[in-house]
Structures are given as structure tokens and as C-alpha cells.
Amino acid sequence: NHFLSLKIPLNTFICQLDAQRNFVWAKTFIADDDSHILDISIDEQNNVFLFGRFKNIVDIDPGDGVVEIGQVDGRRREFICKLNSIGEFQWAHATDANWPVDVNSIDVDLAGSILLTGGFDEAVDFDLGIGVDERTPIGPMDGFATKWDNQGVALWTKTWGGSDRVAGKAIATTPHGAIAIAGSFWGLIDFDPGQGVNTVEAEINGLLETGYVMYLNEFGVFQWVRTCGGGSSAHSSGVHIDDYDN
């Protein structure tokens, strides 16, 4: 048996099992209020990357150490955390309070770079370090993809938007570093996050939720987008890439 202590009725935990489903290790994050892990990814060295949300105070080190991230007026904050292959704390970064971003998916490429996707509805600084990379949405909600190195230092951010809501729901990287993003949108959206234009309208004159898959190269340069629909609401909530970049 392996018991984890709880400070409140709902804490976040992570557990590793081997290929035969035997217990290997488990860790928990102790918080003064609800904490949640929203997504998880593992790199080639079996380091674990977590993206989550907490309120008030959380000890982001699940081991014997203490690395507390404090509250800001009791409002929610998001965090990204790296553990090594045996669950030992490596580093963590936390967002400002009320970071107007919904992160829906995280992935790690072969170089160990971290990629996130989701949506944002207010001006936001995507650089969680000392730099500034502020973006303002075009529409009610824009989609984004942001890439950090394996220490959580911001490399680049790409955004796309238009007349209505759009968001990334899932992200995956190819063995060569290219990026696929799946999500949904309404209205008329320009999916090219660069200087080009690649505008697509959602089903039924933009009124119906429509799924999409878009493809960027390793630097975030737009390659193509495909949509799915056909008279009824559709959304893409997952994406996977095989060894042949399909």
C-alpha cells in the first residue's frame, strides 16, 4: 500500500504504473484549496510535464521539499511543472492571477520543448518569465499555440482568430518537430497566425460549431488547415501523429 496525505477534501495526485500495471510511485500536490491537473505529457527521458490550476496556496514540490506558490487576491492561477522520471521536482512556473487563458492540451517534442494550446479572450502576456509577449484577441476568443524550452523559457507564441470563437483543444508534435492542433470554431476565422491569410467559414454561414485540424512547422509557421462538419455540430478534441507524420 502507498498512502498519500490530504490537506483538503480534494488534492491533485500523479501516479506511475509499469507496463504490467504494477505501482511504481505516486506524488501529490498539497494545497489550501482545490487544485487540478489539466493535462500531462512525458518526454523521451521520461520526464513528466504537468499543466494545472490552483487557488490560494499550493506546494508545487510533491516531494520532501517545499516550493510554495501563493495566492493573488484568492483568485485562480495556472502552473506548469516538471518532474523527473521518478517524480522528483525539477521546476515550476505560475501565471498571474486571472490569466485569461484556457489551456486545453500539452505536449513535449523530441527536443524536450513544451507546447500548449487553448483559447484566450483578453489581452495576455504569454511569457511567464521576465520577457513580455502580449497578445490581444481579434474576436470573442482566439486560439493559440505557445512553445517553451525544457526549462519553461518562452520561445514563441502563435495566435489565430476572426469574427467568432475559436480554440485549440489538442496538440501533438511529429518526430521532426512539426505541430498538429485540433479544435473547434464558429464564424469566419483566419487560421494563418503569420502575415498570410487562410480564412475558413464554419458550417451554415458560420453559425454552427465546426471542427478543424491545422498543421504548423517547428517554428509555428502555418502549413494547412482542414475542417469537419456537415450540417450538425462537430468539434475535434484529440489529435495523434504517427512515426510517418500522418
Side-chain angles (χ1 to χ4, degrees), residues 41-208:
S41 188
I42 300 173
D43 68 12
E44 290 296 300
Q45 289 73 46
N46 291 325
N47 296 303
V48 181
F49 295 84
L50 310 169
F51 194 91
R53 179 174 296 148
F54 70 96
K55 190 176 180 182
N56 293 335
I57 299 174
V58 62
D59 176 9
I60 207 69
D61 185 342
D64 295 331
V66 176
V67 181
E68 285 192 340
I69 302 175
Q71 65 175 338
V72 180
D73 298 328
R75 294 175 290 182
R76 81 173 197 185
R77 298 178 73 185
E78 283 76 24
F79 68 87
I80 185 167
C81 173
K82 179 182 179 180
L83 310 178
N84 67 14
S85 60
I86 58 174
E88 294 174 335
F89 176 80
Q90 302 299 294
W91 54 256
H93 296 295
T95 67
D96 295 331
N98 282 356
W99 202 48
V101 174
D102 289 327
V103 175
N104 295 318
S105 182
I106 182 173
D107 197 20
V108 182
D109 66 17
L110 291 181
S113 299
I114 306 155
L115 293 119
L116 305 172
T117 192
F120 67 108
D121 58 7
E122 297 178 27
V124 60
D125 179 11
F126 280 97
D127 188 332
L128 300 185
I130 60 175
V132 177
D133 186 8
E134 185 169 296
R135 305 302 176 94
T136 300
I138 300 171
M141 174 173 280
D142 282 12
F144 75 89
T146 189
K147 184 176 183 178
W148 301 332
D149 69 16
N150 61 9
Q151 297 300 312
V153 176
L155 298 176
W156 52 254
T157 294
K158 304 297 180 180
T159 65
W160 53 95
S163 66
D164 210 326
R165 297 169 60 86
V166 59
K169 300 294 186 182
I171 191 166
T173 61
T174 75
H176 305 99
I179 302 155
I181 299 166
S184 61
F185 71 104
W186 291 261
L188 192 65
I189 303 297
D190 178 11
F191 282 96
D192 189 335
Q195 296 182 345
V197 176
N198 196 293
T199 303
V200 180
E201 187 175 51
E203 295 285 324
I204 311 182
N205 298 321
L207 299 176
L208 196 64

Side-chain angles (χ1 to χ4, degrees), residues 13-42:
F13 75 92
I14 178 173
C15 174
Q16 183 184 38
L17 307 179
D18 65 20
Q20 288 72 44
R21 303 182 185 178
N22 297 311
F23 175 83
V24 179
W25 53 258
K27 305 290 183 178
T28 186
F29 301 100
I30 305 301
D32 283 340
D33 209 327
D34 288 354
S35 60
H36 306 273
I37 293 175
L38 303 176
D39 202 9
I40 183 171
S41 188
I42 300 173

